[in-house]
Amino acid sequence: MSEQNVTNILVVGIGGQGVMTATEILAQAAIALGHDVKKTEVAGMAQRGGVVSSHLRFGPKVLSPQIMPGTADLLVAFEAAEGLRWCHMLKPGGLVLLNTAHIVPPVVDIGLYQYPDDPIGEIKARGYQVHAFDAMAIALELGDVRLGNTVMLGAMADHLPFPAEALLDAILQRFAAKKPQMVELNRKAFEAGRAAEKSASRAESAEPVPAQ
Amino acid sequence: MASVMPAPSKSRLLLSGNEAVARAVWEAGCHVAAAYPGTPSTEMLEVISTYPDIYAEWSVNEKVSLEVAIGAAFAGSRAFCAMKHVGMNVASDALMTLTLTGVIGGLVIAIADDVGLSSSQNEQDSRFWGRFAHVPVFEPSDSQEAYEMTKLAFDFSEKHQVPVILRMTTRINHVKGLVTVGERIARPNTGGFKKDPARWVMTPAGAGKRIPLMFERDGALKAESEQSPLNVVESGRDARVGFVTSGPAYMHVKESFPDAPVLKLGLSCPVPVEKVRAFAATVDKLVVVEEVEPLVETELKAAGIACHGKDILPKQGELAPNVLKPAIAKLLGEPVPENLAQPAPVFPRPPTMCVACPHLGVYYTLSQIKNLTISGDIGCYTLGAGHPWNALDTTISMGAAMGIALGLDKGRGEADKDKRILAVIGDSTFLHMGMQGLLDIVYNRGNVTVLLLDNRAVGMTGGQPDPGSGRNIYGEPAPRVDFAKLVEALGVKKERIHVVDPYQLPVLFKTIREEIKIPEVSVIITDRPCVLIDDYKKQKPYEVIDEKCTGCGNCVEVGCPAIHVTRREKAIKPSGKEVELQFVRIETAVCTGCGLCVQPCAPEAIVHAEPRRPMRLVKH
Ligand SMILES: Cc1ncc(C[n+]2csc(CCOP(=O)(O)OP(=O)(O)O)c2C)c(N)n1
Ligand code: SF4
Ligand code: SF4
């Protein structure tokens, strides 16, 4: 949190992945707990496969809506290379929750640019922590790719300055209003994301120990 | 959009600046709201159209939208109009005389400046219009203020019988914040239009009499600005630097320098010069923080108030804390905060056309034809300038493809003697400002082939309807323009007009090849819908049979984002030439089966995908 007790969460990915919806739900959870909230994104042409970065700031009073480089408390990356692109926004040593999916744009396909060989390794080399998991696979396992969004929210649950239940409530409320038949599946997706993040976190803390 | 129950009064809602303005327009009892879409302003009208008891429309261009609003305001109703910054360039002819007549019903014009260029062809400062047209400018700095100022602007407009500009920027339009909303006050228009030619008919004589009244009004506005609670001093204990600021920059200043005294300008034109003078006397240094141009700064300096501004701050882009803090540290002779971690170099993700976009086949075809100069326009099809097509040579402003093509034809140099001139324009852009240009080409016997890409929508801004869609802003059936008849009426010969399916590559290719050879104006209309709208129907998706793919890469040239290169290999052709082979796969889950990429695939490696059960990727 910054000096004014404001929490900065940056959620990044690609148009169509549900980045903005995820941040919106997170914002609703913060509002329900009485926080002031501002949310902004640069998503000029998100519809057409562009980069989306959604800034969420909440606390007693939020002034500027933008998170400045080096000040994000948490980075949530819906795609691996996007995690690398935005990691400089984190506080030194900060944490990236990362979906391991690689989404390759046409400029890479036609050979103009290269997709990084090891985005996670590069993020770590810059001194940040990474908890990585395959959110798409978890969502497919539950039967619907669109649950990826909720899986990512579940992954954030234990890294927020408020109880995980507040976030779950915000998700379920949204679905209860729009698609009641999806409530249970989303609860499962949330828990699956939360569990995947936990085991990724455990794997990371175990990492320095040489293999036995 | 269908109307929904508006949230009750006193609700605290998370609203974008655009949504907040829409709510306020409705609460203010506004009767008529008109706009032409344009990022970042589009959602204002989209959201207004969901409220009851207000007429909303998509107009054909910004000038018409302002004129509709003017008519309603002349008739005594409250009226609203929204546009992106460049829209006012188009609408300004009306604005510059509207300022002489003034209004009866309150008229608020929201202009969205794309500071930071997230999606525009230029970055311009709409606060200039306030000075140019002698009209007041309100500048909100977040959603709550956007909501409150919109309501105040209607009252102000009626009090001074003047249109009011609400200057927003992307960082207001698209930022969500909490807004406490209020009650709607209905304002039945009982008075109606009052005949008064001396006021409403602007002849030279009439206008001559209104100009002194405008100057008189300038004085009244100035007095308002000096006293307005929207222009407020917020004291601070660190008086080394005092800030004069407005809009989103105000929030950035407060965030960066919480202890500094600030004079916040909410009614920023006319500038409350005396208020600033008094404020300046209380601080050591005065810094004006304004996005984009040094307007307030220049006016303060002209009034003899010493200040800093664009000498230490950039004239382009947003003035966020990471820009402000080092600039002020430098001014104070303090150590500049150290450079933070630098972004990692990662490939760009430029916007692409959608999977199966009807423009893909057009650009694929154009990329195969040599000796063309292609005058382009603004819309999704501007992306044709990029990879893999590289088939668009100019873009300036909406509708400009027509006039520029004619100019390229009439002004051609020796070297371009045999060049064919082609113009590409979308349906919405053609109706916005392109028709007149085509008429000019016909009238002056230009040698131009026009490709009119009718996808029945304003694709670029999210698929809004236009007069080519057959639907209005509410999704209700509306008269649909017949483009073939329209261009025929403009004088294009019937045999030079072709309507083609852009997914039929051989027909498209043949039609373009034939028409560019004929030295007169032709119009080729493509007629398949944008994939964003309901008219678009998905078909059975395709996949690539790995063993059959020879790596020719022809399908990659189509540019559909569902096609991915899986591996590259170098090979030597029988001629001895080295070529790079590109083997591909189709992301079947997103392919909509348009069949474009199938056509250039000689070995018939692209076939309909067989339905499969969803893959189980995780095993338990
Ligand atoms: C004066 C002006 N108004 C609005 C815009 C925003 N804008 C950009 S492209 C476009 C229209 C695109 O529609 P169309 O010509 O039908 O092409 P499509 O995107 O559907 O291919 C609009 C409204 C603009 N750039 N300039
Ligand atoms: S929005 Fe419509 S016109 Fe634009 S790229 Fe997508 S399909 Fe094409
Ligand atoms: S058929 Fe080919 S071009 Fe059309 S959507 Fe599918 S992959 Fe894209």
Side-chain angles (χ1 to χ4, degrees), chain B residues 36-39 62 84 86-88 90 119-121 359 378-381 398 425-430 432 453 455 457-461 466 530:
Chain B
Y36 177 73
T39 314
E62 292 86 353
K84 72 182 286 172
V86 282
M88 186 44 92
V90 178
S119 47
S120 303
Q121 64 268 39
H359 301 335
I378 306 188
C380 289
Y381 52 93
M398 287 194 59
I425 189 163
D427 53 333
S428 180
T429 304
F430 183 72
H432 176 283
L453 309 184
N455 60 4
V458 195
M460 191 67 176
T461 50
D466 65 24
C530 165

Short mmCIF file of all heavy atoms in Angstrom, two decimals, chain B residues 36-39 62 84 86-88 90 119-121 359 378-381 398 425-430 432 453 455 457-461 466 530, ligand 1:
data_model
loop_
_atom_site.label_atom_id
_atom_site.label_comp_id
_atom_site.label_asym_id
_atom_site.label_seq_id
_atom_site.Cartn_x
_atom_site.Cartn_y
_atom_site.Cartn_z
N TYR B 36 -22.28 11.37 -33.04
CA TYR B 36 -21.70 10.42 -33.97
C TYR B 36 -20.63 9.70 -33.15
O TYR B 36 -19.91 10.35 -32.38
CB TYR B 36 -21.09 11.16 -35.18
CG TYR B 36 -20.42 10.21 -36.14
CD1 TYR B 36 -21.18 9.38 -36.95
CD2 TYR B 36 -19.04 10.13 -36.21
CE1 TYR B 36 -20.58 8.48 -37.81
CE2 TYR B 36 -18.42 9.23 -37.08
CZ TYR B 36 -19.20 8.42 -37.88
OH TYR B 36 -18.59 7.53 -38.71
N PRO B 37 -20.50 8.36 -33.27
CA PRO B 37 -19.55 7.65 -32.40
C PRO B 37 -18.10 8.10 -32.61
O PRO B 37 -17.72 8.55 -33.69
CB PRO B 37 -19.70 6.18 -32.83
CG PRO B 37 -20.87 6.10 -33.73
CD PRO B 37 -21.20 7.47 -34.20
N GLY B 38 -17.31 7.95 -31.59
CA GLY B 38 -15.88 8.26 -31.68
C GLY B 38 -15.25 8.02 -30.31
O GLY B 38 -15.74 8.57 -29.32
N THR B 39 -14.22 7.20 -30.26
CA THR B 39 -13.55 6.90 -29.00
C THR B 39 -12.81 8.14 -28.52
O THR B 39 -12.15 8.78 -29.34
CB THR B 39 -12.53 5.76 -29.21
OG1 THR B 39 -13.17 4.74 -29.97
CG2 THR B 39 -12.01 5.20 -27.91
N GLU B 62 -20.75 14.63 -36.86
CA GLU B 62 -20.82 15.47 -35.67
C GLU B 62 -21.51 16.79 -35.95
O GLU B 62 -22.17 17.36 -35.07
CB GLU B 62 -19.41 15.73 -35.12
CG GLU B 62 -18.73 14.49 -34.54
CD GLU B 62 -17.99 13.66 -35.58
OE1 GLU B 62 -18.10 13.96 -36.80
OE2 GLU B 62 -17.27 12.71 -35.19
N LYS B 84 -15.98 13.05 -30.19
CA LYS B 84 -14.56 13.03 -29.86
C LYS B 84 -13.95 14.33 -30.34
O LYS B 84 -14.55 15.06 -31.13
CB LYS B 84 -13.86 11.79 -30.41
CG LYS B 84 -13.65 11.75 -31.91
CD LYS B 84 -12.99 10.44 -32.31
CE LYS B 84 -11.51 10.42 -31.90
NZ LYS B 84 -10.90 9.10 -32.09
N VAL B 86 -11.81 15.38 -32.55
CA VAL B 86 -11.79 15.73 -33.97
C VAL B 86 -13.20 15.98 -34.51
O VAL B 86 -13.36 16.63 -35.54
CB VAL B 86 -11.08 14.65 -34.82
CG1 VAL B 86 -9.58 14.79 -34.69
CG2 VAL B 86 -11.53 13.25 -34.43
N GLY B 87 -14.20 15.46 -33.81
CA GLY B 87 -15.57 15.71 -34.22
C GLY B 87 -15.90 17.20 -34.25
O GLY B 87 -16.66 17.66 -35.10
N MET B 88 -15.32 17.94 -33.30
CA MET B 88 -15.63 19.37 -33.26
C MET B 88 -15.03 20.11 -34.45
O MET B 88 -15.54 21.16 -34.85
CB MET B 88 -15.18 19.98 -31.93
CG MET B 88 -15.61 21.44 -31.75
SD MET B 88 -17.32 21.81 -32.24
CE MET B 88 -18.18 21.58 -30.70
N VAL B 90 -15.31 19.08 -37.35
CA VAL B 90 -16.37 18.93 -38.34
C VAL B 90 -17.57 19.80 -37.96
O VAL B 90 -18.19 20.43 -38.80
CB VAL B 90 -16.79 17.43 -38.41
CG1 VAL B 90 -17.94 17.23 -39.39
CG2 VAL B 90 -15.60 16.56 -38.79
N SER B 119 -6.44 6.10 -29.23
CA SER B 119 -7.14 5.62 -30.42
C SER B 119 -7.57 6.75 -31.36
O SER B 119 -8.73 6.81 -31.74
CB SER B 119 -8.38 4.83 -30.00
OG SER B 119 -9.09 5.57 -29.01
N SER B 120 -6.66 7.63 -31.70
CA SER B 120 -7.04 8.75 -32.57
C SER B 120 -5.93 9.09 -33.54
O SER B 120 -4.79 8.70 -33.35
CB SER B 120 -7.35 9.99 -31.73
OG SER B 120 -8.36 9.71 -30.80
N GLN B 121 -6.34 9.89 -34.54
CA GLN B 121 -5.36 10.26 -35.56
C GLN B 121 -4.55 11.50 -35.18
O GLN B 121 -3.62 11.86 -35.86
CB GLN B 121 -6.06 10.47 -36.92
CG GLN B 121 -7.08 11.61 -36.98
CD GLN B 121 -8.51 11.19 -36.66
OE1 GLN B 121 -8.75 10.37 -35.79
NE2 GLN B 121 -9.47 11.75 -37.38
N HIS B 359 -13.13 -7.26 -44.30
CA HIS B 359 -12.08 -6.46 -44.95
C HIS B 359 -10.85 -7.30 -45.33
O HIS B 359 -10.03 -6.89 -46.14
CB HIS B 359 -11.58 -5.33 -44.04
CG HIS B 359 -12.65 -4.36 -43.60
ND1 HIS B 359 -13.80 -4.14 -44.31
CD2 HIS B 359 -12.71 -3.54 -42.52
CE1 HIS B 359 -14.53 -3.22 -43.68
NE2 HIS B 359 -13.89 -2.85 -42.59
N ILE B 378 -10.54 6.42 -42.40
CA ILE B 378 -10.47 6.04 -40.99
C ILE B 378 -11.53 5.01 -40.65
O ILE B 378 -12.70 5.19 -40.94
CB ILE B 378 -10.61 7.28 -40.10
CG1 ILE B 378 -9.56 8.32 -40.53
CG2 ILE B 378 -10.40 6.91 -38.64
CD1 ILE B 378 -9.46 9.50 -39.63
N GLY B 379 -11.07 3.93 -40.03
CA GLY B 379 -11.97 2.84 -39.66
C GLY B 379 -11.11 1.61 -39.47
O GLY B 379 -9.89 1.68 -39.51
N CYS B 380 -11.75 0.47 -39.26
CA CYS B 380 -10.98 -0.76 -39.10
C CYS B 380 -10.08 -1.00 -40.31
O CYS B 380 -8.99 -1.53 -40.20
CB CYS B 380 -11.91 -1.95 -38.93
SG CYS B 380 -12.75 -1.93 -37.33
N TYR B 381 -10.56 -0.58 -41.46
CA TYR B 381 -9.82 -0.83 -42.70
C TYR B 381 -8.54 -0.02 -42.79
O TYR B 381 -7.74 -0.24 -43.69
CB TYR B 381 -10.73 -0.59 -43.92
CG TYR B 381 -11.40 0.75 -43.88
CD1 TYR B 381 -10.85 1.85 -44.49
CD2 TYR B 381 -12.58 0.92 -43.16
CE1 TYR B 381 -11.44 3.10 -44.41
CE2 TYR B 381 -13.18 2.17 -43.07
CZ TYR B 381 -12.61 3.24 -43.69
OH TYR B 381 -13.19 4.48 -43.59
N MET B 398 -11.68 11.85 -41.65
CA MET B 398 -12.81 11.08 -42.16
C MET B 398 -13.35 11.64 -43.47
O MET B 398 -13.65 12.81 -43.58
CB MET B 398 -13.90 10.98 -41.11
CG MET B 398 -13.45 10.02 -40.03
SD MET B 398 -14.75 9.48 -38.93
CE MET B 398 -15.89 8.72 -40.04
N ILE B 425 -12.89 3.20 -48.53
CA ILE B 425 -13.66 3.92 -47.50
C ILE B 425 -14.75 3.03 -46.94
O ILE B 425 -15.33 2.21 -47.65
CB ILE B 425 -14.24 5.23 -48.11
CG1 ILE B 425 -14.86 6.12 -47.03
CG2 ILE B 425 -15.28 4.93 -49.20
CD1 ILE B 425 -15.07 7.56 -47.48
N GLY B 426 -15.00 3.15 -45.63
CA GLY B 426 -16.05 2.34 -44.98
C GLY B 426 -17.42 2.98 -45.15
O GLY B 426 -17.53 4.16 -45.50
N ASP B 427 -18.46 2.23 -44.86
CA ASP B 427 -19.83 2.75 -45.05
C ASP B 427 -20.10 3.96 -44.17
O ASP B 427 -20.61 4.98 -44.62
CB ASP B 427 -20.87 1.65 -44.81
CG ASP B 427 -20.72 0.95 -43.47
OD1 ASP B 427 -19.60 0.90 -42.95
OD2 ASP B 427 -21.73 0.44 -42.95
N SER B 428 -19.73 3.85 -42.89
CA SER B 428 -20.03 4.95 -41.98
C SER B 428 -19.23 6.19 -42.37
O SER B 428 -19.76 7.31 -42.34
CB SER B 428 -19.72 4.54 -40.54
OG SER B 428 -20.00 5.59 -39.67
N THR B 429 -17.99 5.99 -42.75
CA THR B 429 -17.14 7.12 -43.13
C THR B 429 -17.64 7.75 -44.42
O THR B 429 -17.61 8.97 -44.59
CB THR B 429 -15.68 6.64 -43.26
OG1 THR B 429 -15.31 6.04 -42.02
CG2 THR B 429 -14.74 7.78 -43.55
N PHE B 430 -18.12 6.91 -45.33
CA PHE B 430 -18.66 7.43 -46.59
C PHE B 430 -19.87 8.32 -46.32
O PHE B 430 -20.00 9.41 -46.87
CB PHE B 430 -19.05 6.26 -47.51
CG PHE B 430 -19.56 6.70 -48.84
CD1 PHE B 430 -18.69 7.22 -49.79
CD2 PHE B 430 -20.91 6.61 -49.16
CE1 PHE B 430 -19.16 7.65 -51.03
CE2 PHE B 430 -21.38 7.02 -50.40
CZ PHE B 430 -20.50 7.55 -51.33
N HIS B 432 -20.54 9.78 -43.49
CA HIS B 432 -20.13 10.89 -42.61
C HIS B 432 -19.64 12.07 -43.44
O HIS B 432 -20.07 13.20 -43.26
CB HIS B 432 -19.03 10.38 -41.68
CG HIS B 432 -18.39 11.39 -40.77
ND1 HIS B 432 -17.46 12.29 -41.21
CD2 HIS B 432 -18.53 11.62 -39.45
CE1 HIS B 432 -17.06 13.05 -40.19
NE2 HIS B 432 -17.70 12.65 -39.10
N LEU B 453 -16.49 -0.15 -48.57
CA LEU B 453 -16.58 -1.35 -47.76
C LEU B 453 -17.79 -1.25 -46.84
O LEU B 453 -17.72 -0.68 -45.76
CB LEU B 453 -15.31 -1.54 -46.94
CG LEU B 453 -13.99 -1.46 -47.73
CD1 LEU B 453 -12.82 -1.77 -46.83
CD2 LEU B 453 -14.02 -2.40 -48.93
N ASN B 455 -19.94 -2.72 -44.37
CA ASN B 455 -20.12 -3.83 -43.41
C ASN B 455 -21.28 -3.54 -42.47
O ASN B 455 -21.39 -4.13 -41.40
CB ASN B 455 -18.83 -4.09 -42.62
CG ASN B 455 -18.38 -2.88 -41.83
OD1 ASN B 455 -19.07 -1.87 -41.81
ND2 ASN B 455 -17.25 -2.99 -41.18
N ALA B 457 -22.01 -1.31 -40.38
CA ALA B 457 -21.77 -0.93 -38.99
C ALA B 457 -20.60 0.04 -38.91
O ALA B 457 -19.81 0.15 -39.84
CB ALA B 457 -21.44 -2.17 -38.16
N VAL B 458 -20.54 0.72 -37.77
CA VAL B 458 -19.36 1.51 -37.45
C VAL B 458 -18.44 0.56 -36.68
O VAL B 458 -18.49 0.49 -35.46
CB VAL B 458 -19.73 2.75 -36.60
CG1 VAL B 458 -18.59 3.74 -36.59
CG2 VAL B 458 -21.00 3.41 -37.11
N GLY B 459 -17.66 -0.21 -37.42
CA GLY B 459 -16.89 -1.29 -36.79
C GLY B 459 -15.89 -0.79 -35.77
O GLY B 459 -15.82 -1.28 -34.64
N MET B 460 -15.14 0.21 -36.16
CA MET B 460 -14.01 0.69 -35.36
C MET B 460 -14.40 1.06 -33.93
O MET B 460 -13.64 0.88 -33.00
CB MET B 460 -13.42 1.92 -36.05
CG MET B 460 -12.11 2.37 -35.50
SD MET B 460 -10.92 1.11 -35.88
CE MET B 460 -9.46 1.88 -35.28
N THR B 461 -15.58 1.62 -33.77
CA THR B 461 -15.97 2.11 -32.45
C THR B 461 -16.84 1.08 -31.71
O THR B 461 -17.40 1.40 -30.66
CB THR B 461 -16.72 3.45 -32.57
OG1 THR B 461 -17.73 3.30 -33.56
CG2 THR B 461 -15.78 4.56 -32.99
N ASP B 466 -25.53 2.47 -38.30
CA ASP B 466 -25.50 3.71 -39.07
C ASP B 466 -26.60 3.61 -40.14
O ASP B 466 -27.29 2.58 -40.18
CB ASP B 466 -24.09 3.94 -39.66
CG ASP B 466 -23.67 2.90 -40.68
OD1 ASP B 466 -24.55 2.26 -41.30
OD2 ASP B 466 -22.46 2.69 -40.87
N CYS B 530 -19.93 -6.74 -40.66
CA CYS B 530 -18.91 -6.79 -39.62
C CYS B 530 -19.23 -7.95 -38.67
O CYS B 530 -20.39 -8.20 -38.37
CB CYS B 530 -18.99 -5.45 -38.87
SG CYS B 530 -18.15 -5.38 -37.28
C1 LIG C 1 -14.29 13.23 -37.14
C2 LIG C 1 -14.20 11.85 -36.59
N1 LIG C 1 -15.28 11.33 -35.98
C3 LIG C 1 -15.24 10.09 -35.45
C4 LIG C 1 -14.09 9.35 -35.52
C5 LIG C 1 -14.04 7.98 -34.88
N2 LIG C 1 -14.11 6.93 -35.90
C6 LIG C 1 -13.00 6.36 -36.35
S1 LIG C 1 -13.30 5.35 -37.63
C7 LIG C 1 -14.93 5.61 -37.56
C8 LIG C 1 -15.89 4.99 -38.52
C9 LIG C 1 -15.61 3.63 -38.91
O1 LIG C 1 -16.71 3.08 -39.57
P1 LIG C 1 -16.66 2.59 -41.07
O2 LIG C 1 -16.21 3.69 -41.96
O3 LIG C 1 -17.97 2.01 -41.38
O4 LIG C 1 -15.51 1.49 -41.08
P2 LIG C 1 -15.35 0.14 -40.22
O5 LIG C 1 -14.61 0.51 -38.99
O6 LIG C 1 -16.71 -0.39 -39.98
O7 LIG C 1 -14.53 -0.74 -41.08
C10 LIG C 1 -15.20 6.49 -36.55
C11 LIG C 1 -16.55 6.90 -36.20
C12 LIG C 1 -12.98 9.95 -36.14
N3 LIG C 1 -11.81 9.31 -36.24
N4 LIG C 1 -13.06 11.17 -36.67
#
